[in-house]
Amino acid sequence: MSTLVIVESPTKARTIRNFLPSTYRVEASMGHVRDLPSSAEEIPEAVKGEKWAQLGVNVEADFEPLYVIPKDKKKIVKELKDALKDATELILATDEDREGESISWHLLQILKPKVPIKRMVFHEITREAIRDALTHCRDIDNRVVQAQETRRILDRLVGYTLSPLLWKKIAWGLSAGRVQSVAVRLLVRRERERRAFRQGSYWDLKALLEKGKISFDAKLVTVGNIKVANGSDFDENTGQIIAGRRVLLLNEEQARALLSRIQNKPWTVGNIEERPVTRKPSPPFTTSTLQQEANRKLRLGARETMRIAQSLYERGFITYMRTDSVHLSEQAITAARSCVQELYGSEYLSPQPRKYTTKSKGAQEAHEAIRPAGSTFRTPQQTGLDGIDFRLYDLIWKRTVASQMADSRQTHVTVLTQVEDAGFRSSGKRIDFPGFLRAYVEGSDDPNAALEDQEVILPALKVEDKPNCKDLGAIGHETQPPARYTEASLVKMLESEGVGRPSTYASIIGTIVDRGYAKLIANALIPTFTAFAVTTLLETHFPDLVDTGFTSRMEQTLDEIATGEAKWLPYLQKFYTGETGLATQVKEQESQIDAKVARTVVLENISAKVCIGKFGAYLESESEEGLVKASIPQDLTPADLDPEQVEFLLKQKTEGPEKLGLHPETGEPIYVLIGSYGPYVQLGEVSETNKKPKRASLPKGTDKDSVTLDMAVSLLTLPRLLGTHPETGAKVQANLGMYGPYVVHDQGKVGKDYRSIKPPDDVLTIELDRALELLSQPKAARGRSKSATPLKELGAHPESGELINVYDGRYGPYVKHGDINASLSKDESVENFTLQRALELLATKEAAGGSKSSSKSKKSTKTAAAKSETATKKTAAKKTTAKKTETAAKKTTAKKTATATTAKKTTKSS
């Protein structure tokens, strides 16, 4: 008698196996085993002729979805069916959220088991939790499945109906999404606000006062009992004081005149106010608050945060990481309070256990907040974790423990000081009892440092005291535009507006960046020209689909379907069909949308048109000579485009590049230009005899107007030969690359060793000794956090036994084995990626990499064929049916066919 348990991932399966008896067999489905077709080749022949086939949903037959088993999942499905043949019971143990419920339902439809079936759910992977879950199994919740299926169909209807329209009207390859498009609009709206922003200027005075050898700051707040203007008094759209505000706006001359008038006058304390303040700890983490805090403190993106959290969950360190709930179980509360008692003392415990409730009606993703797993919480140091895994666990541990700690008691002190008719304010903060701040301070990594930062000590003062003025200065200020969204603030906004589900925010933000709708620069999400064009089109012709209120109501309806309060079919019919349905709207609007207008982005104060073209954004302007077009550099965003830059780009196109001077040795002219990848210098002109003149990009952060002739000459000497390496005799060079300046130790066939050049070192002046010093530093010091933790562990290589993993790289996910890396194609998801597919990619990559010379090609062919043959032999020992494949592989090797074909076919067979 045996029981088959199916979970999603191999990591989760390995952890759970440790907690179950030997009669239980645990296998992984590798995520979804069935989905709507992702490409035309996945559509079954029987329905390819149907007009709804490309949509993947039969809108004419009650929105019946067309489910297919992806090619890379067929082997997994077969293995699960084979495993089921030997089982007397099936337990579906996928995640407890809606997506997990849906995966279990799909497994049930595919496997069609004839043995008893149970649905097991748990929110942490510990021995106690798994054993308890075994005794509390239930049936699949069909209402939750229906809600998830409705969500999937809705997303497909929106994406597959609107995206083709964007291809026709703006540019090929663009995508629209039910939540994605709303998120992009939020970014664009904020950028419009920033462009419309008008800066205001104001001045005030700041004093450094002293009493009893304790210094403290004081800021000017009134003159003649009239409030002095500050940043909050300005209208962002005009740069002027808001109408109706009775404030005194000081300019520089007035501020300095006031300073001179009160410079040596006596200061008197006029009023002191002390106000007690009590602060309560934040509730434990939900998915969205974890993403926000990890972004603020650890500088992690939402997608990376969820990847690390999932790894921690599957290895049994934390509870389930997709949750809207702030609730803690009694077990968790006891564990957290025990930590407080042991580490901080009973005085730091809250008098009563704190119980948090979730305000959101739709908070049904899981039973608990994100917390350390188990009935006792391991401290971060006890986990054995390191790197970013340690830091994220540490964050979760601190937040959970702090939630059961006593309130922080503070006293806020305000002192008003008068000198002549000028009033100054000093603000202080005294922490009377730190409470939960001992463990966790929101927005800071170091609790001890943060505790000190929280406190601002003022001297013991009383009314009529005469503090001394040690320093007095006039300070100018300029109002700042609204801050751009970071990943943290965008997640917070989406959640507050009720748009999307927290579990999907990571993938949404990732899609926005991957599809070119935004650039992530210095932790800020900056929308591109394409985002402006798409948002304008949707706002004009499909306003509901980018309206936060409309999208929020869709989420509420989906929640109601999950609870049985709403019916899924009438809702889909109303949304998609009929006179006001999406399908009708798209047909009606398509003929009304002018593609030329749709591709044009209108920006304030820019006379030229900004258009979206096949190769990116470009300027279009009428001149005496006719229509002028000029490419906009790829790193230039709508926020950065100003009239001066527009004039320069157009002038460069019509009048030619700006000449800096003549090269001192060759006499050729040196120009400064702006290209698709930013500004650069060029030696000589493009001509029939000089089609590719020497060029050099400007160092990052260097303005084109600051480039001198000497600097240009130096840049054109790159790469600079610094000398030879004393150990190898190979040359050492300094150069500028796509990612900045670097030094390289070039050993030819042996390989190249790179190190980045960081300030204060300069690529134009760095010497050999310093380059050797940089090259002697270990590469690990440069940091490769993205590849440190795998996105997915696939298993062992059939020959070497080394683990094959999927990592997140600069250009997207890739699979790695030894020194060989192979990128996943754009249509391959990490979740569905298999070991078999990895072996195919690696073999093909290894073969392709060896085709540089005939000798290398032959060597690669033999190596790839030998590896494939070995893998096939190993498989044959387990499965006799593989003998044919082995024979085929040997024949193929003997005939010395193309390496890529040999490796690919044999690896597939194995």
Side-chain angles (χ1 to χ4, degrees):
M1 179 176 179
S2 64
T3 299
L4 174 63
V5 180
I6 302 179
V7 297
E8 293 98 329
S9 76
T11 304
K12 192 175 175 183
R14 284 195 296 271
T15 308
I16 290 176
R17 282 191 195 110
N18 298 326
F19 307 138
L20 294 176
S22 58
T23 54
Y24 284 74
R25 178 177 176 179
V26 186
E27 297 294 339
S29 71
M30 308 300 287
H32 285 278
V33 291
R34 198 169 71 154
D35 199 1
L36 303 176
S38 61
S39 62
E41 65 181 25
E42 285 189 350
I43 299 173
E45 288 294 335
V47 297
K48 270 193 174 178
E50 302 291 341
K51 60 181 180 180
W52 53 265
Q54 291 288 345
L55 195 60
V57 178
N58 190 347
V59 295
E60 298 171 357
D62 292 342
F63 293 88
E64 181 183 354
L66 173 64
Y67 288 124
V68 297
I69 300 173
K71 186 179 180 181
D72 61 348
K73 285 301 179 73
K74 290 183 178 179
K75 182 182 177 183
I76 294 168
V77 170
K78 183 181 183 305
E79 290 172 350
L80 292 176
K81 286 182 176 180
D82 291 342
L84 187 59
K85 290 176 183 176
D86 301 325
T88 55
E89 183 182 45
L90 172 64
I91 295 180
L92 300 169
T94 53
D95 290 338
E96 62 176 331
D97 61 4
R98 294 167 188 174
E99 193 166 357
E101 202 75 13
S102 178
I103 292 174
S104 281
W105 180 80
H106 280 290
L107 284 167
L108 200 60
Q109 305 306 306
I110 292 173
L111 299 178
K112 296 181 172 58
K114 297 178 181 179
V115 296
I117 306 151
K118 292 180 181 177
R119 171 79 170 107
M120 183 173 82
V121 294
F122 43 86
H123 63 275
E124 60 182 343
I125 305 177
T126 61
R127 184 179 302 277
E128 183 181 0
I130 298 302
R131 293 294 179 90
D132 181 68
L134 274 175
T135 62
H136 295 88
C137 291
R138 59 169 173 80
D139 294 330
I140 290 176
D141 190 330
N142 287 314
R143 291 189 303 190
V144 172
V145 172
Q146 191 65 74
Q148 180 62 22
E149 187 172 59
T150 306
R151 183 186 300 274
R152 184 74 184 92
I153 292 171
L154 267 178
D155 290 340
R156 176 57 69 100
L157 294 177
V158 172
Y160 276 46
T161 304
L162 282 180
S163 296
L165 182 65
L166 299 181
W167 303 344
K168 296 176 185 177
K169 302 300 181 180
I170 298 179
W172 173 258
L174 295 179
S175 68
R178 187 175 59 87
V179 179
Q180 168 196 314
S181 297
V182 178
V184 171
R185 188 195 183 203
L186 288 173
L187 300 182
V188 170
R189 285 174 60 181
R190 179 60 55 87
E191 208 62 40
R192 287 171 180 163
E193 291 170 1
R194 288 175 62 86
R195 287 194 63 86
F197 172 80
R198 295 295 175 265
Q199 196 172 68
S201 300
Y202 63 96
W203 284 72
D204 59 21
L205 305 183
K206 185 178 180 180
L208 180 64
L209 305 181
E210 183 182 60
K211 176 67 175 177
K213 295 186 178 180
I214 298 178
S215 299
F216 59 102
D217 293 330
K219 181 183 176 183
L220 178 70
V221 290
T222 61
V223 175
N225 293 323
I226 299 176
K227 178 181 178 293
V228 174
N230 60 35
S232 64
D233 295 309
F234 284 82
D235 186 329
E236 294 182 345
N237 297 316
T238 64
Q240 304 298 315
I241 296 295
I242 297 172
R245 292 279 174 95
R246 186 175 179 269
V247 292
L248 175 63
L249 177 60
L250 295 178
N251 57 30
E252 182 178 5
E253 182 181 352
Q254 292 168 325
R256 297 197 182 281
L258 176 62
L259 185 152
S260 298
R261 181 161 62 85
I262 66 174
Q263 182 75 62
N264 297 310
K265 298 298 191 293
W267 293 66
T268 305
V269 175
N271 186 49
I272 301 174
E273 180 185 337
E274 292 195 356
R275 181 168 53 91
V277 175
T278 300
R279 282 184 59 191
K280 296 183 181 297
S282 300
F285 281 129
T286 61
T287 300
S288 63
T289 54
L290 177 64
Q291 290 173 4
Q292 292 169 48
E293 197 73 336
N295 185 251
R296 285 193 292 261
K297 288 188 177 182
L298 308 181
R299 285 295 184 261
L300 290 176
R303 187 158 49 180
E304 193 169 5
T305 297
M306 294 309 294
R307 176 179 62 78
I308 299 165
Q310 178 147 351
S311 174
L312 291 174
Y313 162 68
E314 292 180 346
R315 288 181 287 162
F317 289 106
I318 64 172
T319 54
Y320 192 55
M321 67 291 161
R322 292 190 180 93
T323 173
D324 290 349
S325 175
V326 293
H327 169 70
L328 286 178
S329 66
E330 292 297 331
Q331 172 185 282
I333 291 173
T334 301
R337 294 179 71 82
S338 176
C339 286
V340 177
Q341 180 78 45
E342 292 175 13
L343 297 173
Y344 305 108
S346 56
E347 70 272 24
Y348 281 91
L349 267 175
S350 62
Q352 299 295 326
R354 295 185 189 272
K355 297 188 177 182
Y356 298 91
T357 56
T358 307
K359 296 177 182 178
S360 171
K361 179 184 176 183
Q364 302 166 14
E365 291 287 1
H367 300 298
E368 273 199 86
I370 303 170
R371 63 167 176 85
S375 55
T376 58
F377 292 168
R378 286 172 284 183
T379 65
Q381 292 73 23
Q382 292 171 336
T383 60
L385 294 168
D386 58 13
I388 197 63
D389 289 352
F390 175 90
R391 296 173 69 193
L392 192 65
Y393 179 85
D394 182 63
L395 198 64
I396 294 167
W397 183 89
K398 286 176 179 174
R399 177 89 164 212
T400 309
V401 170
S403 73
Q404 293 302 315
M405 293 179 72
D407 294 344
S408 167
R409 298 193 301 274
Q410 307 172 1
T411 299
H412 291 194
V413 183
T414 303
V415 177
L416 297 178
T417 313
Q418 198 75 19
V419 52
E420 294 281 301
D421 61 342
F424 286 74
R425 178 190 292 131
S426 302
S427 298
K429 184 187 296 182
R430 183 176 67 248
I431 296 179
D432 304 311
F433 177 67
F436 71 90
L437 296 178
R438 279 291 303 276
Y440 180 84
V441 181
E442 195 166 20
S444 174
D445 288 321
D446 184 352
N448 293 323
L451 192 58
E452 294 171 2
D453 292 342
Q454 292 274 323
E455 207 161 33
V456 180
I457 300 298
L458 295 179
L461 295 167
K462 58 182 182 295
V463 176
E464 300 299 329
D465 275 354
K466 308 284 187 184
N468 296 323
C469 180
K470 295 180 65 178
D471 188 31
L472 181 63
I475 302 175
H477 306 273
E478 292 179 337
T479 57
Q480 299 300 312
R484 290 190 176 102
Y485 284 106
T486 62
E487 290 197 39
S489 58
L490 181 59
V491 165
K492 186 175 182 179
M493 175 60 77
L494 290 171
E495 185 179 39
S496 67
E497 293 288 340
V499 174
R501 306 299 302 170
S503 58
T504 65
Y505 292 157
S507 62
I508 289 167
I509 293 173
T511 300
I512 288 171
V513 175
D514 294 344
R515 297 290 174 86
Y517 287 119
K519 293 179 181 294
L520 188 58
I521 301 174
N523 206 38
L525 288 163
I526 306 175
T528 61
F529 293 102
T530 301
F532 270 68
V534 170
T535 297
T536 300
L537 184 148
L538 295 178
E539 284 176 331
T540 305
H541 299 280
F542 308 97
D544 281 349
L545 295 181
V546 286
D547 178 66
T548 53
F550 179 83
T551 309
S552 176
R553 290 191 292 275
M554 291 177 75
E555 295 294 344
Q556 291 174 16
T557 303
L558 291 167
D559 289 336
E560 289 167 359
I561 292 170
T563 58
E565 299 171 62
K567 301 297 182 183
W568 67 275
L569 183 56
Y571 181 69
L572 286 177
Q573 290 171 333
K574 181 180 178 182
F575 174 80
Y576 192 74
T577 59
E579 294 182 2
T580 60
L582 178 62
T584 305
Q585 288 185 52
V586 170
K587 287 180 182 178
E588 291 177 349
Q589 295 293 330
E590 183 172 351
S591 60
Q592 299 177 25
I593 299 173
D594 186 322
K596 180 62 177 175
V597 174
R599 294 189 186 105
T600 304
V601 178
V602 178
L603 298 174
E604 286 188 26
N605 302 326
I606 302 297
S607 57
K609 292 180 181 178
V610 177
C611 304
I612 308 299
K614 185 177 181 181
F615 303 106
Y618 65 91
L619 293 169
E620 191 175 275
S621 179
E622 291 287 348
S623 69
E624 294 179 358
E625 290 78 18
L627 191 65
V628 179
K629 296 181 181 181
S631 296
I632 297 175
Q634 291 185 7
D635 61 348
L636 198 64
T637 65
D640 303 318
L641 190 65
D642 56 37
E644 290 74 20
Q645 287 170 318
V646 170
E647 183 182 359
F648 181 88
L649 291 170
L650 293 173
K651 185 178 178 182
Q652 177 179 289
K653 194 73 175 180
T654 55
E655 300 179 11
E658 178 184 342
K659 187 164 73 173
L660 273 178
L662 301 178
H663 195 284
E665 295 177 7
T666 67
E668 294 176 277
I670 296 178
Y671 301 103
V672 180
L673 302 97
I674 295 182
S676 298
Y677 300 100
Y680 63 94
V681 293
Q682 176 179 297
L683 179 63
E685 297 180 6
V686 178
S687 64
E688 284 297 320
T689 56
N690 188 24
K691 293 184 178 180
K692 291 186 177 181
K694 186 171 179 58
R695 294 171 177 172
S697 297
L698 300 189
K700 192 174 182 180
T702 304
D703 186 81
K704 62 179 179 58
D705 295 327
S706 65
V707 179
T708 63
L709 180 61
D710 289 341
M711 181 190 293
V713 171
S714 297
L715 287 171
L716 290 166
T717 63
L718 296 176
R720 290 175 56 224
L721 178 62
L722 304 181
T724 57
H725 198 285
E727 296 178 7
T728 65
K731 60 184 179 182
V732 177
Q733 293 178 310
N735 201 359
L736 269 175
M738 184 182 296
Y739 305 109
Y742 64 88
V743 292
V744 57
H745 176 203
D746 187 355
Q747 299 183 67
K749 294 180 180 180
V750 176
K752 297 180 180 180
D753 191 17
Y754 296 88
R755 294 294 185 277
S756 295
I757 298 175
K758 305 287 186 184
D761 292 320
D762 189 328
V763 68
L764 300 179
T765 59
I766 193 169
E767 299 293 340
L768 177 63
D769 289 346
R770 176 57 179 157
L772 294 174
E773 186 180 340
L774 292 177
L775 289 165
S776 68
Q777 297 174 3
K779 284 188 175 181
R782 294 156 61 193
R784 296 185 67 175
S785 59
K786 284 190 176 180
S787 61
T789 304
L791 294 177
K792 187 175 184 179
E793 296 175 356
L794 299 176
H797 192 282
E799 180 192 359
S800 68
E802 294 180 21
L803 284 178
I804 297 178
N805 297 326
V806 181
Y807 294 94
D808 189 13
R810 190 184 300 276
Y811 302 106
Y814 66 94
V815 62
K816 179 178 178 65
H817 173 240
D819 295 330
I820 302 174
N821 298 340
S823 296
L824 277 65
S825 63
K826 291 183 178 180
D827 58 350
E828 288 182 301
S829 68
V830 174
E831 181 183 297
N832 298 329
F833 198 69
T834 64
L835 177 60
Q836 179 187 358
R837 177 61 179 150
L839 293 170
E840 293 176 10
L841 288 178
L842 290 166
T844 304
K845 181 64 180 289
E846 184 177 15
S851 60
K852 293 181 180 179
S853 68
S854 58
S855 60
K856 286 184 180 179
S857 180
K858 290 176 183 177
K859 186 177 180 181
S860 279
T861 304
K862 291 178 181 178
T863 303
K867 286 184 178 180
S868 299
E869 184 177 344
T870 304
T872 309
K873 284 180 178 178
K874 288 185 177 181
T875 307
K878 297 179 181 178
K879 297 182 180 180
T880 56
T881 54
K883 288 182 178 178
K884 293 180 180 179
T885 307
E886 183 181 344
T887 304
K890 289 178 179 177
K891 287 180 179 179
T892 307
T893 307
K895 291 179 180 179
K896 296 183 180 180
T897 55
T899 304
T901 307
T902 306
K904 187 172 181 180
K905 287 185 178 178
T906 314
T907 309
K908 274 188 176 181
S909 302
S910 64

